[in-house]
Amino acid sequence: MVSGNIFHCRKHSWPSEEYISKATLQLLDFDSAAPPEQAWRRRLNSHANLLKEFSVTFMEAMKMLRLGVRLWSYVREEASQGRKAPIDPFTRESCKPSASQGVPLGGMGSGSISRGFRGEFRHFQIVPGLCEASPILANQFSIFISRDQGNKKYASVLAPGLHEGLGKSDGQGISSWGWNLSGQHSTYHALFPRAWTIYDGEPDPELKVSCRQISPFIPHNYRESSLPSAVFVYTLVNTGKERAKVSLLLTWANSIGGISHFSGDHYNEPFIGEDGVSGVLLHHKTPKDNPPVTFAIAACETQNVNVTVLPCFGLSEQSRITAKDMWGTMAQDGHFDRENFNAGPSIPTSPGDTLCAAVSASTWVEAHGKCTIAFSLAWSSPKIKFSKGSSYNRRYTKFYGTSERSALNLVHDGLMNYKRWEEDIEKWQNPILRDSSLPEWYKFTLFNELYFLVAGGTVWIDGHLPAADDESNINGNRNRLTDKEDNYNLDVRVTEPKVNVKDGVVVEHDRINGFSGGYGVIDDDEKMYGSLHRNKSMNWEDNKRSNNEMQVTSSGTHSDDEDVGRFLYLEGVEYIMWCTYDVHFYASFALLALFPKIELNIQRDFAKAVLSEDGRKVKFLAEGNWGIRKVRGAVPHDLGTHDPWHEMNAYNIHDTSRWKDLNPKFVLQVYRDFAATGDMSFAVDVWPAVCAAIEYMEQFDKDGDGLIENDGFPDQTYDAWTVHGISAYCGCLWLAALEAAAAMAHQLGDRQFADKCKSKFLKAKPVFEEKLWNGSYFNYDSGSSSNSRSIQADQLAGQWYIASSGLPSLFDDSKIRSALQKIYDFNVMKVKGGRIGAVNGMHPNGKVDESCMQSREIWTGVTYGVAATMILTDMKEEAFTTAEGIFTAGWSEEGYGYWFQTPEGWTTDGHYRSLIYMRPLAIWAMQWALSLPRAILEAPKINMMDKMYMSSNARASTNDMGGVRKLVSKTKCFSNAVFHCSC
């Protein structure tokens, strides 16, 4: 799909020619029917090329041969247990990826359905972790037009061309429909979470049609952003001299993607709801004991719009009413029999049969007149069940109850509320869209990359406890389990610290089993407080008998207004691990900016995880050695796959307890989030985990110079790129984590820990610069391998976070600018003229580092992170040029076709790896850098380079936790912490 000139001449960032005539735009300029100028665009007749998948070189294959054999064996073992391995490079989707994606449907965490830019519904992700990529071709919008006296008639599916797989056109299935649209005069416009399809005289030359797709993704709205629904608003403008009867048709298969419609026991039923909302419910029984799903398709009847339904039709000749019969009725009459509303539930299907439904909305459009018709789609699957047994109620059930029939209320509320949704969306987006200082490509790419929070596989649950087995009613009364039997958690330990007021120390006690709630290790009503680096020898019972004891309990007990539930999102649809933390480090800027309460809750989940231990044995596939699943003090790689929160670290290629980037990334994210929100309750909640994370890393300082060393294997997010000794990436993150931990300790009054981190920082920083700084950038590592002097694009990741958090820079400005300029000149501009992003590794001679598959890749999220660092260093022009490479290669019409499926990365010749990936959300780090929150801009700068001085007497009299207690006491009004003490 890539034309040669993408890399040989610099085009405008976005085509200047208009995709729609000004006359048509003026006709549609009401009721938000016209797309905004800043939307991403495609013609419907654009060819959706197949994408080119990544492949390893012969040498890389030889290096990974043993890993491949072990991984293949592991994938087969998981399959024998009825589970899908989190990483499976051996199984390929039957539907080959193509450049056909568009804005997905629905809010976050309740399942999602994507919709291609040409109108096909695809990528069904209703069951967590399962993505059915193939389009369901029976799911379509169609239009039927007739003018006075029947002189002109048009009937067409509103999708271009006859798709592959439809079968013979003379059959009884959907191939018999009118696939007449060429798409030549129709265009798609995307600005997530909305999309517009403009049919400019197709199929009727005298009718302009705008279809506006709206989903309830509304920042800071934690209710409606969880709803599994979408609205389609059709605006019709008749430019002819005769009035026209127009009927729009929505057809839908009783399917959750793939071949699920063949499984049997599905049934449909029509309904007439309130406020003229009428349609069909499609009840779907899922396989493998997964919770059932109910779809609702509906339209809104008004004084001018008549709604009718066909509750059931089939796709085979054996069906009582076939797809061909349905089409014939609409082509002749433009509506169905109103008696269909009295049909009641249909007979459940037999295996092998496909059951579909249709909703028609008809109206007369006067000559030179306008009319609006609104449809709604919703799906209700109130419970989610993970493959190892845990079930939860989805977030939206807090407001709609746990009946599948809540789909009826969801479609109704969508049709009643979509205008308010749009007002809120425009209020959020307009300041950025109207900012003339920002490139046009950046504006729509910024919003459209958010597609991942819907289509990337997200789970948002109501509250903290597993769902009850009993169904509750639609009013939202829920019986929930208070305990979960977990027979496989026999080796899990939890640390319970308590703060002793008299001595200002923390004692620890390991409790095995007997706990309930999240992780299978820490109850959700237990929070870890105090500083874990102090007195670890005091007897628990002695402390318990102390009269001066003050115990801190959970701040996880939120009021209904404050409890936003718990949130999971996948690393990618090909890497099925929830909340992969080394990648969340890049993506989290989007959540922090738009849904900060979700971001804080994810950090709380990881804070509790740091203090837990899971002693079950796991085989690590890279080396074939064994270790324990979760080590206390180590930040987990992820929250699991088959039983998230209860069984963490689904990733088993390497032992991530030995990784050098996870713990520093946790400290940096926690401080950034604290600095941005000013949430003292959050800071107190996570502080013990911050201390534990820092102290855990001390074991990797082998020579006592304050700086951690890598261990000669890929112990970082670049898990195929070996590191020796001190590394630019991990070392910089460690320095930044020490500065952030010292700053946080200072603000919480833990002076001893602040001084400890400060001392380490001042000791480690000159060592880092001496070992790695070569005069223009930081070497990849301090080893002697062929790539030790490579220019790593991500070498300033720690500085990026420090600057994003309002802390003083790690290095002299001259060094930071020099390193960024080197990255720009070499990693960006020496690869295809800067039109493809920043390659991860580049030799100082200007050749790409091909020592491993990851060093030669361009990682989309890393490129955005580098651009954000440049913005924070006042290199704005270089920043946008760097990030524009991702737009050009991934999103532009001349590019590779990765829109709405941005991969982890691609090679210099455009072969992708891992489509629909979390890390590209890092583009929101650029927006963060452009508009730092006031809390960060106005925060006092804590100068790490100040000389430390504390007399021995002063040190001895310091009560380290006193500051924490005083701060929390002063902030009771916004702190959820509860102090049990007599005062």
Side-chain angles (χ1 to χ4, degrees), residues 209-225:
V209 181
S210 166
C211 172
R212 191 163 85 258
Q213 172 188 313
I214 309 151
S215 292
F217 182 97
I218 306 166
H220 307 286
N221 183 329
Y222 295 89
R223 174 182 172 128
E224 286 168 299
S225 295

Side-chain angles (χ1 to χ4, degrees), residues 509 538-546:
H509 173 62
M538 179 179 282
N539 181 273
W540 175 262
E541 292 300 327
D542 290 344
N543 183 66
K544 192 174 181 180
R545 288 192 292 267
S546 171

Side-chain angles (χ1 to χ4, degrees), residues 532-698:
L532 296 177
H533 65 283
R534 289 187 285 282
N535 190 353
K536 298 182 180 180
S537 59
M538 179 179 282
N539 181 273
W540 175 262
E541 292 300 327
D542 290 344
N543 183 66
K544 192 174 181 180
R545 288 192 292 267
S546 171
N547 293 327
N548 293 318
E549 180 186 60
M550 176 176 69
Q551 181 181 350
V552 185
T553 64
S554 173
S555 69
T557 307
H558 300 288
S559 68
D560 283 345
D561 291 338
E562 288 299 315
D563 182 7
V564 299
R566 298 171 89 178
F567 188 84
L568 299 169
Y569 65 144
L570 290 176
E571 179 177 339
V573 297
E574 296 178 33
Y575 297 156
I576 309 172
M577 295 166 282
W578 299 107
C579 294
T580 299
Y581 201 73
D582 56 310
V583 185
H584 180 68
F585 177 76
Y586 298 83
S588 58
F589 283 91
L591 285 174
L592 179 59
L594 306 177
F595 297 95
K597 292 180 182 179
I598 289 178
E599 166 64 9
L600 295 187
N601 276 3
I602 290 175
Q603 302 294 23
R604 285 185 171 102
D605 280 344
F606 275 91
K608 291 194 294 183
V610 169
L611 302 175
S612 71
E613 181 171 297
D614 184 343
R616 286 171 289 175
K617 296 293 184 181
V618 174
K619 184 177 183 179
F620 300 113
L621 304 180
E623 301 296 335
N625 57 317
W626 289 80
I628 70 171
R629 177 174 289 277
K630 168 67 179 71
V631 176
R632 184 184 175 278
V635 174
H637 173 273
D638 55 79
L639 293 179
T641 291
H642 304 304
D643 200 6
W645 297 301
H646 294 272
E647 185 182 85
M648 294 170 286
N649 280 338
Y651 177 93
N652 61 350
I653 305 298
H654 299 288
D655 180 358
T656 59
S657 69
R658 307 295 298 174
W659 278 19
K660 309 306 183 294
D661 61 338
L662 289 168
N663 282 38
K665 284 176 174 177
F666 170 73
V667 175
L668 288 169
Q669 288 184 77
V670 162
Y671 182 78
R672 178 205 57 189
D673 297 350
F674 170 49
T677 63
D679 190 329
M680 191 61 68
S681 172
F682 166 74
V684 175
D685 283 355
V686 300
W687 179 239
V690 171
C691 297
I694 289 289
E695 292 185 343
Y696 182 86
M697 295 299 293
E698 293 176 357

Side-chain angles (χ1 to χ4, degrees), residues 291-407:
V293 181
T294 294
F295 292 96
I297 55 173
C300 190
E301 190 163 81
T302 67
Q303 185 176 357
N304 301 317
V305 177
N306 180 49
V307 177
T308 56
V309 301
L310 183 63
C312 301
F313 69 90
L315 303 183
S316 67
E317 294 181 358
Q318 289 72 38
S319 304
R320 188 172 68 86
I321 301 176
T322 66
K324 186 174 183 178
D325 297 334
M326 183 278 301
W327 188 268
T329 299
M330 285 299 300
Q332 179 177 331
D333 303 329
H335 59 84
F336 302 114
D337 193 332
R338 287 198 67 87
E339 288 300 313
N340 291 342
F341 281 114
N342 301 321
S346 66
I347 299 172
T349 59
S350 300
D353 292 341
T354 301
L355 185 63
C356 303
V359 174
S360 167
S362 306
T363 188
W364 284 94
V365 187
E366 298 298 326
H368 305 293
K370 302 175 181 179
C371 186
T372 297
I373 296 176
F375 290 85
S376 184
L377 164 70
W379 54 94
S380 179
S381 183
K383 289 183 180 179
I384 56 171
K385 180 183 178 183
F386 294 102
S387 59
K388 285 194 174 178
S390 295
S391 296
Y392 303 90
N393 291 330
R394 296 191 192 263
R395 166 71 175 169
Y396 77 91
T397 63
K398 184 179 180 71
F399 318 108
Y400 284 84
T402 57
S403 167
E404 289 90 6
R405 297 185 67 86
S406 61

Side-chain angles (χ1 to χ4, degrees), residues 426-437:
E426 289 172 0
K427 188 182 299 183
W428 157 47
Q429 292 184 337
N430 282 342
I432 294 173
L433 296 179
R434 293 171 181 169
D435 188 343
S436 60
S437 69

Side-chain angles (χ1 to χ4, degrees), residues 446-491:
L446 176 73
F447 291 114
N448 285 334
E449 287 284 17
L450 291 171
Y451 85 93
F452 186 85
L453 290 176
V454 172
T458 56
V459 168
W460 194 355
I461 67 168
D462 169 29
H464 292 70
L465 298 178
D469 291 331
D470 297 330
E471 285 278 299
S472 66
N473 61 40
I474 200 166
N475 295 321
N477 298 319
R478 292 174 297 281
N479 299 314
R480 293 186 291 190
L481 298 176
T482 56
D483 260 318
K484 175 180 180 295
E485 259 184 39
D486 197 351
N487 294 325
Y488 54 79
N489 263 341
L490 299 178
D491 295 323

